[in-house]
C-alpha cells in the first residue's frame, strides 16, 4: 500500500489522475473501474481537462462502475449512472456503449450481477479500480460485516451510510435502503487500486484501512493485502495515521519510480 498524503484534495486528485492518465496513454484499450460519491469528482475534473487538452483519449477505454442504488433508474438524478454521465462521461470522448453501471431496476438482480461480472471477465478484468471510502470504512457498498471474499450482489445499507448519503437527496427517507455492489473479492481482483479519501470525517476510516487489523468490519482494510494499492488523501483524512512521515517519503519514492 502506498499512502500519498497531500496538502489539499486538489493536489491529491491531480496526482491520482496522473496515474490514470498514464495508464490510458500506455494502454488506450484499458479497463477502468470507477467510483461515485463526492470524493472522486475533482479527479474526474482533472481527467476531463486532460482529455480536452488532447493529452489523453478515452475513445477505446472501457469502464465498469462499482455500484448502483437498487430501485433507482439510470435517469434518476441520484442514480450512479446519472452521476457518472454528468461528472465524467458527458464531458470526455468515451463511447457510452463502453461504460457500464449496474442496473438498479433489473428484473432479476442475480442475473444482473452475474452478467456484470462475466462482462468484466470477458474484457480481461479491471486494470485500475478507483475507490472512495465510507466514513465506516466501506468500499463500494461493502458495509461492515461484508465477507472479504464477497462478489457482486445486493446489499443493505447501514443507517450511517444512509445518513451520510442523505445530503444528496431531499430527505433521508428518499435514500434507497439497498444497492447492487461489487463485492470485496471482486474489487480485489483489479490489478491496481487507487483510493481517494478527503476530509476529517474520513480520518477514522483511513486509520482503520491503513493501520487497523484486516477485518470485515472495515472492508477497506483488505486493501492491505493488495500488492498495488495507492491511497491518495489530504492531511485531514491522514490525521490519525501513526506512520505519516514514513508513508510520505516512501510514496515520494514510489511516485518517482512510477513516472521515471
Ligand atoms: C457511497 C459509495 C462509495 C463512496 C462513499 C463515500 O457509499 N457507494 O463508493 O466511497 O459513498 O462517498 P463520498 O465520497 O461522498 O464521501
Amino acid at each position: 500500500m502506498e499512502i500519498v498524503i497531500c496538502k489539499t484534495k486538489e493536489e491529491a486528485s491531480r496526482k491520482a489522475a496522473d496515474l490514470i492518465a498514464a495508464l490510458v496513454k500506455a494502454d488506450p484499450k484499458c479497463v477502468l473501474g470507477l467510483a461515485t460519491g463526492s470524493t472522486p469528482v475533482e479527479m474526474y475534473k482533472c481527467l476531463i481537462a486532460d482529455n480536452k487538452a488532447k493529452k489523453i483519449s478515452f475513445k477505446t477505454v472501457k469502464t465498469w462502475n462499482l455500484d448502483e442504488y437498487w430501485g433507482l433508474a439510470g435517469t434518476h438524478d441520484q442514480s450512479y449512472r446519472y452521476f457518472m454521465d454528468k461528472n465524467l462521461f458527458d464531458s470526455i470522448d468515451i463511447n457510452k456503449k463502453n461504460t457500464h453501471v449496474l442496473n438498479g431496476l433489473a428484473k432479476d438482480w442475480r442475473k444482473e450481477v452475474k452478467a456484470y461480472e462475466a462482462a468484466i471477465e470477458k474484457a480481461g478484468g479491471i486494470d485500475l479500480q478507483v475507490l472512495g471510502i465510507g466514513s465506516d470504512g466501506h468500499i463500494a457498498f461493502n458495509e461492515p460485516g461484508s465477507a472479504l471474499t464477497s462478489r457482486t450482489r445486493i446489499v443493505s445499507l447501514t443507517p450511517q451510510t444512509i445518513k451520510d448519503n442523505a445530503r444528496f437527496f431531499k430527505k433521508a427517507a428518499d435514500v434507497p435502503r439497498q444497492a447492487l455492489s461489487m463485492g470485496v473479492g471482486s474489487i480485489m481482483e483489479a490489478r491496481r487500486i487507487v483510493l481517494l479519501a478527503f476530509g476529517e470525517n474520513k480520518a477514522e476510516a483511513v486509520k482503520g484501512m491503513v493501520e487497523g487489523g484486516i477485518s470485515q468490519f472495515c472492508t477497506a482494510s483488505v486493501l492491505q493485502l493488495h500488492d498495488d494499492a495507492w491511497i491518495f488523501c489530504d492531511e485531514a483524512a491522514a490525521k490519525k495515521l501513526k506512520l505519516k512521515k514514513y508513508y510520505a517519503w516512501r510514496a515520494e519514492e514510489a511516485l518517482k519510480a512510477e513516472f521515471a
Side-chain angles (χ1 to χ4, degrees), residues 209-231:
M209 163 175 67
V210 178
E211 294 177 345
I214 294 166
S215 157
Q216 60 182 343
F217 289 95
C218 173
T219 50
S221 65
V222 77
L223 299 177
Q224 292 173 31
L225 297 175
H226 197 284
D227 61 7
D228 195 10
W230 293 72
I231 315 299

Side-chain angles (χ1 to χ4, degrees), residues 65 98 144 148 152 157 165 182 189 214:
N65 259 77
N98 288 339
L148 299 182
T152 308
L157 311 191
N165 291 357
M182 274 192 199
E189 283 171 6
I214 294 166

Side-chain angles (χ1 to χ4, degrees), residues 34-41 66-69 80 83 130-136 138-143 157 161-162 164-165 167-168 179-181 195-198 201-202:
L34 297 177
T36 52
S38 53
T39 308
V41 170
L66 285 171
D67 44 15
E68 179 60 284
Y69 285 116
Y80 284 169
F83 174 99
V130 176
L131 294 174
I133 185 168
S135 63
D136 58 6
H138 72 244
I139 46 175
F141 269 130
N142 292 290
E143 298 285 29
L157 311 191
T161 298
I162 291 170
D164 286 348
N165 291 357
R167 67 189 194 279
F168 301 113
L180 297 182
S181 175
L195 183 145
L196 305 161
F198 305 135
N201 71 322
K202 298 291 171 73

Side-chain angles (χ1 to χ4, degrees), residues 92-257:
I92 57 174
D93 62 351
I94 202 161
N95 180 349
K96 276 274 182 82
K97 280 191 190 143
N98 288 339
T99 70
H100 307 84
V101 183
L102 285 151
N103 178 5
L105 290 184
K107 266 196 195 134
D108 180 342
W109 69 262
R110 283 186 181 81
K111 268 193 195 154
E112 173 68 11
V113 301
K114 214 171 154 193
Y116 201 73
E117 290 223 355
I120 293 172
E121 205 186 320
K122 198 171 165 213
I126 289 174
D127 291 305
L128 185 151
Q129 176 67 57
V130 176
L131 294 174
I133 185 168
S135 63
D136 58 6
H138 72 244
I139 46 175
F141 269 130
N142 292 290
E143 298 285 29
S146 298
L148 299 182
T149 51
S150 52
R151 308 301 307 181
T152 308
R153 67 209 186 287
I154 198 161
V155 293
S156 295
L157 311 191
T158 59
Q160 181 62 49
T161 298
I162 291 170
K163 198 171 146 213
D164 286 348
N165 291 357
R167 67 189 194 279
F168 301 113
F169 291 80
K170 280 197 190 94
K171 49 187 191 306
D174 294 341
V175 184
R177 272 24 189 181
Q178 287 181 303
L180 297 182
S181 175
M182 274 192 199
V184 185
S186 332
I187 293 169
M188 284 293 280
E189 283 171 6
R191 287 182 271 282
R192 171 168 274 188
I193 302 275
V194 169
L195 183 145
L196 305 161
F198 305 135
E200 215 176 323
N201 71 322
K202 298 291 171 73
E204 197 58 45
V206 168
K207 186 171 171 45
M209 163 175 67
V210 178
E211 294 177 345
I214 294 166
S215 157
Q216 60 182 343
F217 289 95
C218 173
T219 50
S221 65
V222 77
L223 299 177
Q224 292 173 31
L225 297 175
H226 197 284
D227 61 7
D228 195 10
W230 293 72
I231 315 299
F232 290 86
C233 49
D234 62 3
E235 283 177 351
K239 206 173 129 183
K240 297 196 173 171
L241 294 177
K242 268 196 200 143
L243 298 181
K244 236 187 316 197
K245 280 196 186 139
Y246 168 61
Y247 302 142
W249 74 253
R250 198 179 71 179
E252 205 177 299
E253 292 306 313
L255 280 171
K256 256 190 232 158

